[in-house]
Coordinates of all heavy atoms in Angstrom, one line a residue:
M1 N -3.7 -1.7 20.8 CA -2.6 -1.7 19.8 C -1.9 -0.4 19.8 O -2.5 0.7 19.7 CB -3.3 -1.9 18.4 CG -2.3 -2.0 17.3 SD -3.2 -2.5 15.8 CE -2.1 -1.9 14.6
A2 N -0.6 -0.4 20.0 CA 0.2 0.8 20.2 C 0.4 1.6 18.9 O 0.1 2.7 18.8 CB 1.5 0.5 20.8
N3 N 0.9 0.9 17.9 CA 1.2 1.5 16.6 C 0.2 1.2 15.5 O -0.2 0.0 15.4 CB 2.6 1.1 16.2 CG 3.7 1.5 17.1 OD1 3.6 2.6 17.7 ND2 4.6 0.6 17.4
K4 N 0.0 2.2 14.7 CA -0.9 1.9 13.6 C -0.1 1.2 12.5 O 1.1 1.3 12.4 CB -1.5 3.2 13.1 CG -2.5 3.8 14.0 CD -3.2 4.9 13.4 CE -4.4 5.4 14.3 NZ -5.3 6.3 13.7
V5 N -0.8 0.5 11.6 CA -0.2 -0.1 10.4 C 0.1 1.1 9.4 O -0.8 1.8 9.1 CB -1.1 -1.1 9.8 CG1 -0.5 -1.7 8.5 CG2 -1.3 -2.3 10.8
R6 N 1.3 1.2 9.0 CA 1.7 2.3 8.1 C 1.6 1.8 6.7 O 2.2 0.8 6.3 CB 3.2 2.6 8.4 CG 3.7 3.9 7.9 CD 5.0 4.1 8.6 NE 5.2 5.6 8.6 CZ 6.3 6.1 8.1 NH1 7.3 5.4 7.7 NH2 6.5 7.4 8.1
V7 N 0.7 2.5 5.9 CA 0.5 2.1 4.5 C 1.0 3.3 3.6 O 0.4 4.4 3.6 CB -1.1 1.9 4.3 CG1 -1.3 1.5 2.9 CG2 -1.6 0.9 5.3
R8 N 2.0 3.0 2.9 CA 2.6 4.0 2.0 C 2.3 3.6 0.6 O 2.7 2.6 0.1 CB 4.2 4.0 2.2 CG 4.6 4.5 3.6 CD 6.0 4.2 3.9 NE 6.9 4.6 2.8 CZ 8.0 3.9 2.6 NH1 8.4 2.9 3.3 NH2 8.8 4.3 1.5
I9 N 1.5 4.5 0.0 CA 1.0 4.3 -1.3 C 1.7 5.1 -2.3 O 1.8 6.4 -2.1 CB -0.5 4.6 -1.4 CG1 -1.3 3.8 -0.4 CG2 -1.0 4.4 -2.9 CD1 -2.8 4.4 -0.2
C10 N 2.3 4.5 -3.3 CA 3.0 5.3 -4.4 C 1.9 5.9 -5.3 O 1.1 5.2 -5.8 CB 3.9 4.4 -5.2 SG 4.8 5.4 -6.5
V11 N 2.0 7.2 -5.4 CA 1.0 7.9 -6.3 C 1.8 8.6 -7.4 O 1.3 9.5 -8.0 CB 0.1 8.9 -5.5 CG1 -0.8 8.1 -4.6 CG2 0.9 9.9 -4.8
G12 N 2.9 8.0 -7.7 CA 3.7 8.5 -8.9 C 2.9 8.1 -10.2 O 2.0 7.3 -10.1
T13 N 3.2 8.7 -11.3 CA 2.4 8.6 -12.5 C 2.2 7.1 -12.9 O 1.1 6.7 -13.1 CB 3.1 9.3 -13.7 OG1 3.3 10.7 -13.3 CG2 2.3 9.2 -14.9
S14 N 3.3 6.3 -12.9 CA 3.2 4.9 -13.3 C 2.2 4.2 -12.4 O 1.3 3.5 -12.9 CB 4.6 4.3 -13.4 OG 4.4 2.9 -13.6
C15 N 2.4 4.3 -11.1 CA 1.6 3.5 -10.2 C 0.2 4.1 -10.2 O -0.8 3.3 -10.1 CB 2.2 3.6 -8.8 SG 3.7 2.7 -8.5
F16 N 0.0 5.4 -10.4 CA -1.3 6.0 -10.4 C -2.1 5.4 -11.5 O -3.3 5.0 -11.3 CB -1.2 7.5 -10.5 CG -2.5 8.2 -10.3 CD1 -3.0 8.4 -9.0 CD2 -3.3 8.6 -11.4 CE1 -4.2 9.1 -8.8 CE2 -4.5 9.2 -11.2 CZ -5.0 9.4 -9.9
V17 N -1.5 5.4 -12.7 CA -2.3 4.9 -13.9 C -2.5 3.4 -13.8 O -3.4 2.8 -14.5 CB -1.7 5.3 -15.2 CG1 -1.6 6.7 -15.4 CG2 -0.3 4.6 -15.4
M18 N -1.7 2.7 -13.0 CA -1.9 1.2 -12.9 C -2.8 0.8 -11.8 O -3.0 -0.4 -11.5 CB -0.5 0.6 -12.7 CG 0.3 0.7 -14.0 SD 2.0 0.0 -13.8 CE 1.6 -1.7 -13.9
G19 N -3.4 1.8 -11.1 CA -4.4 1.4 -10.1 C -4.3 2.0 -8.7 O -5.1 1.7 -7.8
A20 N -3.2 2.8 -8.5 CA -3.1 3.3 -7.1 C -4.2 4.2 -6.7 O -4.5 4.4 -5.5 CB -1.7 4.1 -7.0
A21 N -4.9 4.8 -7.7 CA -6.0 5.7 -7.3 C -7.1 5.0 -6.5 O -7.6 5.5 -5.6 CB -6.6 6.3 -8.6
Q22 N -7.4 3.7 -6.9 CA -8.4 3.0 -6.2 C -7.9 2.7 -4.7 O -8.7 2.8 -3.8 CB -8.7 1.7 -6.9 CG -9.8 0.9 -6.2 CD -9.9 -0.5 -6.6 OE1 -9.0 -1.1 -7.3 NE2 -11.0 -1.2 -6.3
I23 N -6.6 2.4 -4.6 CA -6.1 2.1 -3.3 C -6.1 3.3 -2.4 O -6.3 3.2 -1.2 CB -4.6 1.5 -3.4 CG1 -4.7 0.3 -4.3 CG2 -4.0 1.2 -2.1 CD1 -3.3 -0.1 -4.8
Q24 N -5.9 4.5 -3.0 CA -6.0 5.8 -2.2 C -7.3 5.9 -1.5 O -7.4 6.6 -0.5 CB -5.9 7.0 -3.1 CG -4.5 7.3 -3.6 CD -4.4 8.5 -4.5 OE1 -4.9 8.4 -5.6 NE2 -3.9 9.6 -4.0
S25 N -8.4 5.3 -2.0 CA -9.7 5.4 -1.3 C -9.7 4.8 0.1 O -10.6 5.1 0.9 CB -10.8 4.8 -2.2 OG -10.6 3.3 -2.1
L26 N -8.6 4.1 0.4 CA -8.5 3.6 1.8 C -8.5 4.7 2.8 O -8.9 4.6 4.0 CB -7.2 2.7 2.0 CG -7.3 1.3 1.5 CD1 -5.9 0.7 1.5 CD2 -8.2 0.5 2.4
E27 N -8.0 5.9 2.4 CA -7.8 7.0 3.3 C -9.2 7.4 3.8 O -9.3 7.8 5.0 CB -7.1 8.1 2.6 CG -6.7 9.2 3.5 CD -5.6 10.1 2.9 OE1 -5.4 10.0 1.7 OE2 -5.1 10.9 3.6
F28 N -10.2 7.4 3.0 CA -11.5 7.9 3.5 C -12.6 6.8 3.5 O -13.7 7.0 4.0 CB -12.0 9.0 2.5 CG -11.0 10.1 2.5 CD1 -10.2 10.3 1.3 CD2 -10.8 11.0 3.5 CE1 -9.2 11.3 1.3 CE2 -9.9 12.0 3.5 CZ -9.1 12.2 2.4
N29 N -12.3 5.6 3.0 CA -13.3 4.6 2.8 C -12.8 3.2 3.1 O -13.1 2.3 2.4 CB -13.9 4.7 1.4 CG -15.2 4.0 1.3 OD1 -15.9 3.8 2.3 ND2 -15.6 3.6 0.0
A30 N -12.0 3.1 4.2 CA -11.5 1.8 4.6 C -12.6 0.9 5.2 O -13.5 1.5 5.9 CB -10.3 2.0 5.5
P31 N -12.5 -0.4 5.1 CA -13.4 -1.2 5.8 C -13.4 -0.9 7.3 O -12.3 -0.6 7.9 CB -12.9 -2.7 5.5 CG -12.1 -2.5 4.3 CD -11.5 -1.1 4.3
S32 N -14.5 -1.0 8.0 CA -14.6 -0.6 9.4 C -13.7 -1.3 10.3 O -13.3 -0.8 11.4 CB -16.1 -0.7 9.9 OG -16.5 -2.0 9.7
D33 N -13.4 -2.6 10.0 CA -12.5 -3.4 10.9 C -11.0 -2.9 10.9 O -10.3 -3.3 11.8 CB -12.6 -4.9 10.6 CG -12.1 -5.2 9.2 OD1 -12.5 -4.6 8.3 OD2 -11.4 -6.2 9.1
I34 N -10.6 -2.2 9.9 CA -9.3 -1.7 9.8 C -9.1 -0.2 9.9 O -8.0 0.3 10.1 CB -8.5 -2.2 8.6 CG1 -9.1 -1.6 7.3 CG2 -8.5 -3.8 8.5 CD1 -8.3 -1.9 6.0
A35 N -10.2 0.5 9.7 CA -10.1 2.0 9.6 C -9.4 2.7 10.7 O -8.6 3.6 10.5 CB -11.5 2.6 9.4
D36 N -9.6 2.2 11.9 CA -8.9 2.9 13.1 C -7.5 2.4 13.3 O -6.8 3.0 14.2 CB -9.7 2.6 14.3 CG -11.1 3.3 14.3 OD1 -11.3 4.2 13.5 OD2 -12.0 2.8 15.1
Y37 N -7.0 1.5 12.5 CA -5.7 0.9 12.7 C -4.7 1.2 11.7 O -3.6 0.7 11.6 CB -5.8 -0.6 12.9 CG -6.8 -1.0 13.9 CD1 -8.0 -1.5 13.7 CD2 -6.4 -1.0 15.3 CE1 -8.9 -1.9 14.7 CE2 -7.2 -1.3 16.3 CZ -8.5 -1.8 16.0 OH -9.4 -2.1 17.0
I38 N -5.0 2.1 10.8 CA -4.1 2.4 9.6 C -3.7 3.9 9.6 O -4.5 4.8 10.0 CB -4.7 2.0 8.3 CG1 -6.0 2.6 8.0 CG2 -4.8 0.5 8.2 CD1 -6.6 2.3 6.6
E39 N -2.5 4.1 9.1 CA -2.0 5.4 8.8 C -1.7 5.4 7.3 O -0.8 4.6 6.9 CB -0.8 5.8 9.6 CG -0.2 7.1 9.3 CD 1.2 7.3 9.9 OE1 1.7 6.4 10.6 OE2 1.7 8.4 9.8
I40 N -2.4 6.2 6.5 CA -2.1 6.3 5.1 C -1.2 7.4 4.7 O -1.3 8.5 5.2 CB -3.4 6.5 4.3 CG1 -4.5 5.4 4.6 CG2 -3.2 6.6 2.8 CD1 -4.2 4.1 4.2
I41 N -0.2 7.0 4.0 CA 0.8 8.0 3.5 C 0.9 7.9 2.0 O 1.1 6.8 1.5 CB 2.2 7.8 4.1 CG1 2.1 7.9 5.7 CG2 3.2 8.8 3.6 CD1 3.1 7.1 6.4
E42 N 0.8 9.0 1.3 CA 0.9 9.0 -0.1 C 2.3 9.5 -0.5 O 2.7 10.6 0.1 CB -0.2 9.9 -0.8 CG -1.5 9.3 -0.6 CD -2.6 10.2 -1.2 OE1 -2.3 11.2 -1.8 OE2 -3.8 9.8 -1.0
E43 N 3.0 8.8 -1.4 CA 4.3 9.2 -1.7 C 4.5 9.4 -3.2 O 3.8 8.7 -4.0 CB 5.4 8.2 -1.2 CG 5.4 8.2 0.3 CD 6.6 7.4 0.8 OE1 7.4 7.0 0.0 OE2 6.6 7.2 2.0
R44 N 5.4 10.2 -3.6 CA 5.7 10.3 -5.1 C 6.5 9.1 -5.5 O 6.8 8.3 -4.6 CB 6.6 11.6 -5.3 CG 5.8 12.8 -4.8 CD 5.7 13.8 -6.0 NE 5.0 15.0 -5.5 CZ 4.2 15.7 -6.3 NH1 4.2 15.4 -7.6 NH2 3.6 16.7 -5.9
C45 N 6.8 9.0 -6.7 CA 7.5 7.8 -7.2 C 8.6 7.3 -6.3 O 9.5 8.0 -5.9 CB 8.1 8.1 -8.6 SG 9.0 6.7 -9.3
M46 N 8.5 6.0 -5.9 CA 9.4 5.4 -5.0 C 10.6 4.8 -5.8 O 11.4 4.1 -5.2 CB 8.7 4.3 -4.2 CG 7.6 4.7 -3.4 SD 6.7 3.3 -2.8 CE 5.5 4.0 -1.6
N47 N 10.6 5.1 -7.1 CA 11.7 4.6 -8.0 C 11.7 3.1 -8.2 O 12.6 2.6 -8.9 CB 13.1 5.1 -7.5 CG 13.3 6.5 -7.7 OD1 12.8 7.1 -8.7 ND2 13.9 7.2 -6.7
L48 N 10.7 2.4 -7.6 CA 10.7 0.9 -7.9 C 10.3 0.6 -9.3 O 10.7 -0.4 -9.9 CB 9.7 0.3 -6.9 CG 10.0 0.4 -5.4 CD1 8.8 0.0 -4.6 CD2 11.2 -0.5 -5.1
C49 N 9.5 1.5 -9.9 CA 9.1 1.3 -11.3 C 10.3 1.4 -12.3 O 10.2 1.1 -13.4 CB 8.0 2.3 -11.7 SG 8.5 4.0 -11.6
K50 N 11.4 2.0 -11.8 CA 12.6 2.2 -12.6 C 13.6 1.1 -12.6 O 14.6 1.1 -13.3 CB 13.2 3.6 -12.3 CG 12.3 4.7 -12.6 CD 12.7 6.0 -12.1 CE 11.7 7.1 -12.4 NZ 11.7 8.2 -11.5
E51 N 13.4 0.1 -11.7 CA 14.3 -1.0 -11.6 C 13.8 -2.0 -12.6 O 13.1 -3.0 -12.3 CB 14.2 -1.6 -10.2 CG 14.8 -0.7 -9.1 CD 14.6 -1.2 -7.7 OE1 14.5 -2.4 -7.5 OE2 14.6 -0.4 -6.8
V52 N 14.2 -1.8 -13.8 CA 13.7 -2.4 -15.0 C 13.7 -4.0 -14.9 O 12.7 -4.6 -15.2 CB 14.4 -2.0 -16.3 CG1 13.9 -2.7 -17.5 CG2 14.1 -0.5 -16.5
K53 N 14.8 -4.5 -14.5 CA 15.0 -6.0 -14.5 C 13.9 -6.7 -13.6 O 13.4 -7.7 -14.0 CB 16.4 -6.4 -14.0 CG 17.4 -6.2 -15.1 CD 18.7 -6.7 -14.6 CE 19.8 -6.4 -15.7 NZ 21.1 -6.5 -15.1
T54 N 13.7 -6.2 -12.5 CA 12.9 -6.9 -11.5 C 11.5 -6.3 -11.3 O 10.6 -7.0 -10.9 CB 13.5 -7.0 -10.1 OG1 13.8 -5.7 -9.7 CG2 14.8 -7.8 -10.2
K55 N 11.4 -5.0 -11.5 CA 10.1 -4.3 -11.0 C 9.3 -3.8 -12.1 O 8.2 -3.4 -11.9 CB 10.5 -3.2 -10.0 CG 11.3 -3.6 -8.8 CD 10.5 -4.5 -7.9 CE 11.3 -4.9 -6.7 NZ 10.6 -5.9 -5.8
Y56 N 9.8 -3.7 -13.3 CA 9.1 -3.0 -14.4 C 7.7 -3.6 -14.5 O 7.5 -4.8 -14.6 CB 9.8 -3.0 -15.7 CG 9.1 -2.3 -16.8 CD1 9.0 -0.9 -16.7 CD2 8.6 -3.0 -17.8 CE1 8.4 -0.2 -17.7 CE2 7.9 -2.3 -18.8 CZ 7.8 -0.9 -18.8 OH 7.2 -0.2 -19.8
N57 N 6.7 -2.8 -14.5 CA 5.3 -3.2 -14.7 C 4.8 -4.0 -13.5 O 3.9 -4.8 -13.7 CB 5.2 -4.0 -16.0 CG 4.3 -3.3 -16.9 OD1 3.8 -2.2 -16.7 ND2 4.0 -4.0 -18.1
S58 N 5.4 -3.9 -12.4 CA 4.9 -4.7 -11.2 C 4.2 -3.8 -10.2 O 3.8 -4.1 -9.2 CB 6.1 -5.3 -10.4 OG 6.7 -6.3 -11.2
G59 N 3.9 -2.5 -10.7 CA 3.2 -1.6 -9.9 C 1.7 -1.9 -10.0 O 1.3 -2.8 -10.7
P60 N 0.9 -1.2 -9.2 CA 1.3 -0.2 -8.3 C 2.0 -0.8 -7.1 O 1.7 -1.9 -6.7 CB 0.0 0.6 -7.9 CG -1.1 -0.4 -8.3 CD -0.6 -1.3 -9.3
F61 N 2.8 0.1 -6.4 CA 3.6 -0.4 -5.3 C 3.0 0.2 -4.0 O 2.7 1.4 -4.0 CB 5.0 0.0 -5.4 CG 5.7 -0.7 -6.6 CD1 5.9 0.0 -7.7 CD2 6.1 -2.0 -6.5 CE1 6.5 -0.6 -8.8 CE2 6.7 -2.6 -7.5 CZ 6.9 -1.9 -8.7
V62 N 2.9 -0.6 -3.0 CA 2.4 -0.1 -1.7 C 3.2 -0.8 -0.6 O 3.4 -2.0 -0.6 CB 0.9 -0.5 -1.5 CG1 0.4 0.0 -0.1 CG2 0.0 0.2 -2.5
W63 N 3.7 -0.1 0.3 CA 4.4 -0.6 1.5 C 3.4 -0.7 2.6 O 2.7 0.3 2.9 CB 5.6 0.2 2.0 CG 6.8 0.2 1.1 CD1 7.1 1.0 0.1 CD2 7.8 -0.8 1.1 NE1 8.3 0.6 -0.5 CE2 8.8 -0.5 0.1 CE3 8.1 -1.9 1.9 CZ2 9.9 -1.2 -0.1 CZ3 9.3 -2.6 1.7 CH2 10.2 -2.3 0.7
V64 N 3.3 -1.9 3.2 CA 2.4 -2.1 4.4 C 3.4 -2.4 5.5 O 4.0 -3.5 5.5 CB 1.4 -3.2 4.2 CG1 0.5 -3.4 5.5 CG2 0.5 -2.8 3.0
N65 N 3.6 -1.5 6.4 CA 4.7 -1.6 7.3 C 6.0 -1.9 6.5 O 6.3 -1.1 5.6 CB 4.5 -2.6 8.4 CG 3.5 -2.0 9.5 OD1 3.3 -0.8 9.6 ND2 2.9 -2.9 10.3
D66 N 6.7 -3.0 6.8 CA 7.9 -3.2 6.1 C 7.8 -4.2 4.9 O 8.8 -4.7 4.4 CB 9.0 -3.8 7.1 CG 9.3 -2.8 8.1 OD1 9.3 -1.6 7.8 OD2 9.6 -3.3 9.3
E67 N 6.6 -4.5 4.5 CA 6.4 -5.4 3.4 C 5.9 -4.7 2.2 O 4.9 -3.9 2.2 CB 5.4 -6.5 3.8 CG 5.9 -7.3 5.0 CD 5.2 -8.7 5.1 OE1 4.9 -9.3 4.0 OE2 5.0 -9.1 6.2
L68 N 6.6 -5.0 1.1 CA 6.2 -4.4 -0.2 C 5.1 -5.2 -0.9 O 5.3 -6.4 -1.1 CB 7.4 -4.3 -1.1 CG 7.2 -3.8 -2.5 CD1 6.7 -2.3 -2.4 CD2 8.5 -3.9 -3.3
V69 N 4.0 -4.6 -1.3 CA 3.0 -5.3 -2.0 C 3.2 -4.8 -3.5 O 3.1 -3.6 -3.8 CB 1.6 -4.9 -1.5 CG1 0.5 -5.6 -2.4 CG2 1.4 -5.2 0.0
E70 N 3.5 -5.7 -4.4 CA 3.6 -5.4 -5.8 C 2.3 -5.7 -6.5 O 1.5 -6.5 -6.0 CB 4.7 -6.3 -6.4 CG 6.1 -6.0 -5.8 CD 7.2 -6.8 -6.5 OE1 6.9 -7.4 -7.5 OE2 8.3 -6.8 -5.9
E71 N 2.1 -5.1 -7.6 CA 0.8 -5.3 -8.4 C -0.4 -5.1 -7.4 O -1.3 -5.9 -7.3 CB 0.8 -6.6 -9.1 CG 1.8 -6.7 -10.2 CD 1.8 -8.1 -10.9 OE1 1.1 -9.0 -10.5 OE2 2.6 -8.2 -11.9
A72 N -0.2 -4.1 -6.6 CA -1.2 -3.9 -5.5 C -2.6 -3.6 -6.0 O -2.8 -2.9 -7.0 CB -0.7 -2.8 -4.6
T73 N -3.5 -4.2 -5.3 CA -4.9 -3.9 -5.5 C -5.5 -3.5 -4.2 O -4.9 -3.8 -3.1 CB -5.7 -5.1 -6.1 OG1 -5.7 -6.1 -5.1 CG2 -5.1 -5.6 -7.4
Y74 N -6.7 -2.9 -4.2 CA -7.4 -2.6 -3.0 C -7.5 -3.8 -2.1 O -7.1 -3.8 -0.9 CB -8.7 -2.0 -3.3 CG -9.6 -1.6 -2.1 CD1 -9.5 -0.3 -1.7 CD2 -10.4 -2.5 -1.5 CE1 -10.3 0.1 -0.6 CE2 -11.2 -2.1 -0.4 CZ -11.1 -0.8 0.0 OH -11.9 -0.4 1.1
E75 N -7.9 -4.9 -2.7 CA -8.1 -6.2 -1.9 C -6.8 -6.7 -1.3 O -6.7 -7.1 -0.2 CB -8.8 -7.3 -2.8 CG -10.2 -7.0 -3.1 CD -10.4 -5.9 -4.2 OE1 -9.4 -5.6 -5.0 OE2 -11.5 -5.3 -4.4
K76 N -5.7 -6.7 -2.1 CA -4.4 -7.2 -1.7 C -3.9 -6.4 -0.5 O -3.4 -6.9 0.5 CB -3.4 -7.2 -2.8 CG -3.4 -8.4 -3.7 CD -2.5 -8.2 -4.9 CE -1.1 -8.7 -4.7 NZ -0.4 -8.7 -6.0
V77 N -4.1 -5.1 -0.6 CA -3.6 -4.2 0.5 C -4.4 -4.4 1.7 O -3.9 -4.5 2.8 CB -3.6 -2.7 0.0 CG1 -3.3 -1.8 1.1 CG2 -2.6 -2.5 -1.1
V78 N -5.7 -4.5 1.6 CA -6.6 -4.7 2.8 C -6.2 -6.0 3.5 O -6.1 -6.1 4.7 CB -8.1 -4.7 2.4 CG1 -9.0 -5.2 3.5 CG2 -8.5 -3.2 2.0
N79 N -6.0 -7.0 2.7 CA -5.6 -8.3 3.3 C -4.3 -8.2 4.0 O -4.1 -8.8 5.1 CB -5.5 -9.4 2.2 CG -6.9 -9.8 1.7 OD1 -7.9 -9.6 2.4 ND2 -7.0 -10.4 0.5
K80 N -3.3 -7.5 3.4 CA -2.0 -7.4 4.1 C -2.1 -6.6 5.3 O -1.5 -6.9 6.4 CB -1.0 -6.7 3.1 CG 0.4 -6.5 3.6 CD 1.0 -7.8 4.0 CE 1.4 -8.7 2.8 NZ 2.0 -9.9 3.3
I81 N -3.0 -5.6 5.3 CA -3.2 -4.8 6.5 C -3.8 -5.6 7.6 O -3.4 -5.6 8.8 CB -4.1 -3.6 6.2 CG1 -3.4 -2.5 5.3 CG2 -4.6 -2.9 7.5 CD1 -4.4 -1.5 4.8
R82 N -4.8 -6.5 7.3 CA -5.4 -7.4 8.3 C -4.3 -8.3 8.9 O -4.3 -8.6 10.1 CB -6.5 -8.1 7.6 CG -7.7 -7.3 7.4 CD -8.9 -8.0 6.9 NE -10.1 -7.2 6.8 CZ -10.9 -7.0 5.8 NH1 -10.7 -7.8 4.7 NH2 -11.9 -6.2 5.8
E83 N -3.4 -8.8 8.0 CA -2.3 -9.7 8.5 C -1.5 -8.9 9.5 O -1.1 -9.5 10.6 CB -1.4 -10.1 7.4 CG -2.0 -11.2 6.5 CD -1.1 -11.5 5.3 OE1 0.1 -11.3 5.4 OE2 -1.6 -12.0 4.3
E84 N -1.1 -7.7 9.2 CA -0.3 -6.9 10.1 C -1.0 -6.6 11.4 O -0.4 -6.6 12.5 CB 0.1 -5.6 9.4 CG 1.1 -5.7 8.3 CD 2.4 -6.3 8.7 OE1 3.1 -5.7 9.6 OE2 2.9 -7.3 8.2
I85 N -2.3 -6.3 11.4 CA -3.0 -6.1 12.6 C -3.0 -7.3 13.5 O -2.8 -7.2 14.7 CB -4.5 -5.6 12.3 CG1 -4.5 -4.2 11.6 CG2 -5.4 -5.6 13.5 CD1 -5.8 -3.8 11.0
K86 N -3.2 -8.5 12.8 CA -3.2 -9.7 13.6 C -1.9 -10.0 14.3 O -1.8 -10.4 15.4 CB -3.5 -10.9 12.7 CG -5.0 -11.2 12.5 CD -5.2 -12.5 11.8 CE -6.6 -12.6 11.2 NZ -6.8 -13.5 10.1
K87 N -0.8 -9.7 13.5 CA 0.6 -9.9 14.1 C 0.8 -9.1 15.4 O 1.5 -9.5 16.3 CB 1.6 -9.4 13.1 CG 2.0 -10.4 12.1 CD 3.3 -9.8 11.4 CE 3.3 -10.2 9.9 NZ 4.4 -9.5 9.2
S88 N 0.2 -7.9 15.4 CA 0.5 -7.0 16.5 C -0.5 -7.2 17.7 O -0.4 -6.5 18.7 CB 0.4 -5.6 16.1 OG -0.9 -5.2 15.6
C89 N -1.5 -8.1 17.5 CA -2.4 -8.4 18.6 C -1.9 -9.4 19.6 O -1.1 -10.3 19.3 CB -3.7 -8.9 18.1 SG -4.6 -7.6 17.3
Ligands
FES101 S1 5.5 5.6 -10.0 FE1 5.4 4.2 -8.3 S2 7.4 3.5 -8.1 FE2 7.5 4.9 -9.7

């Protein structure tokens, strides 16, 4: 596999209090089948939480490559990463 799956986790205040902290643990404690295939990037507020009409309260937000995961949980992000790894195989 040439490129790693890029995982951009919003760690802005809103996303952090809504659960991003648990997702951050992927950086040091990812399941062994994906650990070598991911690049974790933590970002400040991506401003998605400020798009009141469509996004308010839909955090935490995580980008997995080009796909946005809303109401992200550790499990949802891991599943999306596995899908991305399969796509590139
Ligand atoms: S705090 Fe995550 S998008 Fe604003």
Side-chain angles (χ1 to χ4, degrees):
M1 184 173 157
N3 296 319
K4 291 193 172 192
V5 175
R6 196 166 204 234
V7 182
R8 293 165 48 210
I9 303 167
C10 180
V11 293
T13 303
S14 173
C15 288
F16 189 82
V17 298
M18 292 177 77
Q22 187 196 12
I23 302 164
Q24 281 180 289
S25 71
L26 277 170
E27 191 161 10
F28 303 106
N29 197 18
S32 59
D33 63 314
I34 65 170
D36 292 340
Y37 302 103
I38 58 175
E39 175 188 9
I40 303 291
I41 300 156
E42 294 177 2
E43 295 191 6
R44 301 237 177 209
C45 179
M46 300 170 171
N47 290 321
L48 295 168
C49 61
K50 295 172 183 155
E51 294 176 21
V52 175
K53 281 185 187 161
T54 57
K55 303 292 183 187
Y56 182 69
N57 243 4
S58 297
F61 297 100
V62 177
W63 287 94
V64 178
N65 284 342
D66 295 328
E67 294 202 39
L68 178 63
V69 180
E70 297 181 13
E71 297 179 351
T73 62
Y74 181 91
E75 291 77 17
K76 277 171 95 169
V77 172
V78 166
N79 287 338
K80 182 58 73 182
I81 291 168
R82 286 184 175 132
E83 284 176 22
E84 289 297 303
I85 292 170
K86 271 188 199 158
K87 273 192 214 169
S88 64
C89 289

